[in-house]
Amino acid sequence: CAGLAGSTAPMGQFDPLNKLEGKDLNQIKLYREAEITHGRVSMLAVLGIAVGENFNPLFDGKITGPAIYHFQQVPGIFWTSLVFAIACAEGFRLTYGWVNPVGEDETGGDNLWTLREDYSPGDLGFDPLGLKPTDAAELTARENKELNNGRLAMIAVAGIVVQELITGEKIF
């Protein structure tokens, strides 16, 4: 799609509902940004569910039962800290990849929901260990792996939540 990573076998250019028809590059990049973000959160969620149901040293081990009920058992100060950390991360992402909707465009155009032209969805410039490939083919392969794992994790989280809701038991 629009030269971005993510079109992999066996589906290729998978768009059965033609959601991308007539969309410009910015809109396609916005969709990809959302897909990458949700995929990353889902990968962390699957890991968090697996670990949280089996190993819980935080909060004196009082968080028990199926992962879908852990939220209600966590103290309020944890949520305040978590929301603050998420807000900081989102604020950085917005200033790094998005055009300021007020004042950045001298032509007076509408900048709402506009990504920077040189911004690649999901690339926040954070690579402290230098693991990002410099070769374009390697980078595309790595991005495809991340997208496919994120897509699988989104489906996995949905399945885990449904199974725990139906059975009322831990899945791991």
Side-chain angles (χ1 to χ4, degrees), residues 136-158:
E138 279 186 54
L139 180 61
T140 300
R142 174 90 45 97
E143 289 173 342
N144 283 333
K145 289 174 186 175
E146 180 183 20
L147 281 164
N148 286 334
N149 287 326
R151 291 166 180 163
L152 178 62
M154 286 186 268
I155 294 168
V157 167

Side-chain angles (χ1 to χ4, degrees), residues 55-76:
F55 177 72
N56 193 353
L58 301 176
F59 312 113
D60 297 325
K62 294 179 183 174
I63 311 299
T64 60
I68 58 172
Y69 301 121
H70 287 187
F71 290 128
Q72 295 89 337
Q73 300 175 43
V74 176

Side-chain angles (χ1 to χ4, degrees), residues 36-57:
I36 291 171
T37 302
H38 286 88
R40 288 174 177 170
V41 169
S42 296
M43 287 187 278
L44 287 172
V46 170
L47 179 64
I49 290 169
V51 171
E53 287 186 348
N54 294 297
F55 177 72
N56 193 353

